[in-house]
Structures are given as C-alpha cells and as structure tokens.
Amino acid sequence: MSFCTFSPEKLHNNAKRERGLNMGSRLVPFLFTSLAIATLFSFFLIYSPNPLLTIAKQGLNSIQIQPNLHAVQEQDHQDHQDLDHNNIKLQPPTKKEEEKCDLYKGHWVPELRGPMYTNSSCATIPESKNCFKNGRRDSDFLNWRWKPDKCELPLFDPNTFLEIVRGKKMAFIGDSVARNHVESLLCLLSQEESPKDVYKDSEDRFRTWYFPQHDFTLMKLWSKYLIAADERMVNGTGSGTFDLHLDRLDDQWARHLPDLDYAIVSGGHWFFRLMYLHESGNLTGCVYCNQPNVTDYNISHAVRMAFRTVFKHIKDCKNCRGGLMALLRTFAPAHFENGAWNTGGYCNRTSPFSEAQIDLGTFDWEMRNIQIEEFERGRREGEMKGKKFGVLDITRAMLMRADGHPGAHWGNQWMKGYNDCVHWCMPGPVDYWNHFLMAIIRNEGGLAS
C-alpha cells in the first residue's frame, strides 16, 4: 500500500483552477508525462516516488481493524473507568503537569459526546470538507478523543480561546491543509461568536475574518513552499516544475509577519515534484531533474532549507511585534491505500489505528523530524530576542487517523472516481489540532493554571 497526496485546492472553491498540493506514487516518470495530463489534473500534486513514502509490507496492508470501539475500549478501559462520558469536564493541566507531559504521545480513546459542531451549526464548512453532505454515512470516526499517555488534553473552549487572543492577530500560513486547519478553528469559534468576513482575494488564497466582540483578527495566508518559488510556464500554461529560492521567503505572506501576534506555519506537500534549487540567485541543484552537471538533491534537503529560511527570518525579524509567538504545525500525513490518487488509491477506513499499527519509519515522520529540527534551531536564538515559539506536533496522532479524510465524499464535480485522502472531514479529527493550539498558546503565553 502506498501513501500519496493530491490537493484539490479547488474543492473548496469550485471554479478555481490551481495546481494543488500533490503527492504522487512511486513512478518518477509520471512527473515528466504529457503537459496535457498535467493541465487536466492541475489541482493535483504528485507525491514523490521516494520508497520511504510507502508503509512497510507488515504495515497497513496486514492490519486487521477491530469492529468499532472495542479494540481501543479494551486497551483504554482503565483510563475511562471513572469518566462520565455524558458530563466529563477535563481541567487544564497545571504548568508543572504540562512540563512533564508530552501532549503528542498518546492514543485515541472512545468519546461518546460527539463533535463540538455539526454541518448544521457551522455555516462555513467548505463543500469539499462537508463529508456528510457529500454522502458519507459512517459516523464512528467522530467518536474519538486524543488521550496523552501521562495527562489529559483540555477540550477546546471557544470562549477561553477568544479571551486569550483578545485584541490579537493570528495567521495560518501554508497550503490547503493549513486552510483546512483555519476552517476548523472558524467552526469551533463560531459556536461562541460569528466573525465578519472582511477580506477575500479573487482566488480565496488570502482571507481575513474579524471577531468584533473580542477584537480578534484571524487570517489565512496561502503559500505553496513558504519560500519564494516560480512555476515554469510552457506556452502560457503551468508546467508543474518550480524554481525554488531557498534563501528567500515568499513575500506574499512574509510582508504580513510584522503585524502578527501569532503565526502558525506549516507545509511540505508541494515538495514532492520536480524542482530546481537556487541560492543567492545561482542554481545549486535540483530534485528529480536527473540532469548532467546539476547536483541532484533529495526532497529532505529542499524541505530542510526552506524551513531553515522561514525560522531564520522569524527569529531575526526586527519589525515584528515583541510578543510574536511562532508556531510550527508539523506535517500532516495522507492515507491513500492500494494506489495513488490517480491509480485508484482510496481511504475508506472508519476507525483509528492504534499506536502499534502505525509506522514511524515512513517519510511522513522524516518530514516531521526535519521540520522540528529546523524549528528548534530557530527557537534557540529567537527566544533570546524575546520571541515565543511552540510546536503543534500533530504527525503521530494523525498517522493513526486514516478514517478522517473525505475520500470519495468531497463533492467533486470534475474528477469523479478520485479520492481526497489528504484533507480532513469537518467535523473530524482535524478539530483536535485546535485543542492542541489552545493548550500551547495558554502554556507558552504563561496562562496555564
């Protein structure tokens, strides 16, 4: 079973034509096939053929998923024997507890209360993430809660969150998975206050909402690579090949940084394609070009250098606000099984994997590790300059959630038969990214109990 990713950026905005985030399957030659195919599938991104992208044979292909709740109920019986599922109130951990507890190492446990919003109570769920509207019938994937091994993850509380960010500006910076994240936050916050939609560009890549009762501004800043990148054109049509400037940020988002109090940075999916790498204006190498006299790098190098540039800029930003908090949201895995996006790959599981069923030897985990390493490099120096840093380390938890994607239920009107195993249903496990977010901004902001 191979994992690969496509990005129907247009799923969210039906008429938009853009080349989404994509991960293809094993065959590098696909990256060089006809321009006609590349145009037809312009919003898919092809995953690299890197063998690390495939789960080991003893991995998901051999997994026997237990019916519904029973497998994890047995495993987690001790954790739940004293909990009233209908009236549980998880208290925020104390500062001391959070210092010794890894919020991101744990497992999914049954949670019978269901989601904090529905597609009836949240009016802003995008068509492409509205899985129930698009025909998904199973709902057990909503009945799980993330349980850290040594503590509890406080439930998201929209009133508390809005009080923490009162008078602040927060931006989610990255690709369409970053957009998925902010869309989830909008639904959670709208249960407390409905925001005003104050800005939207023609392609819905940059957007701003305002919560007047709390003077809180929320932004979506779209970027493929986070760094400067130019797509090569052929006869006026995008080729899917990019020139990446490893030492320069994408100014479309970077120019907003001085105005922000919170910057949530994420990315990685766009790197699985043919790229030419530049530094100081000079070609230094490529990924997948296989050209003579051009150094051939792997994806890891390009990702590392991009995130190094991002966090170097943040730590050195002289015009940024003194209390700027920079947050890394780690790589979110895709879950295509038995094929790639264009070869019949699908994601139709209905329950989470256990921790024992995931493989931390995949390239998803390597991507996460690279991002963490470059984040820590920037954090060490940035904190000395008064900036704050935090990590939403969602990769391990989301490796277990192959059941959380739209799959066939993404409202596609152009490419019937193709599945979205990259983005996340709403409501769904993506909402827990914001449980993590609230815990981090409470803690890093000195607001923990």
Side-chain angles (χ1 to χ4, degrees), residues 101-119:
C101 175
D102 183 351
L103 291 176
Y104 308 107
K105 192 173 189 310
H107 50 284
W108 294 91
V109 299
E111 176 54 79
L112 302 183
R113 284 171 300 169
M116 298 181 68
Y117 63 90
T118 68
N119 59 359

Side-chain angles (χ1 to χ4, degrees), residues 25 28 74 78 93 155 196 211 232 346 439:
S25 66
V28 172
E74 183 66 24
Q78 186 63 42
L155 295 178
K196 294 182 177 180
F211 293 77
R232 296 189 175 188
Y346 57 83

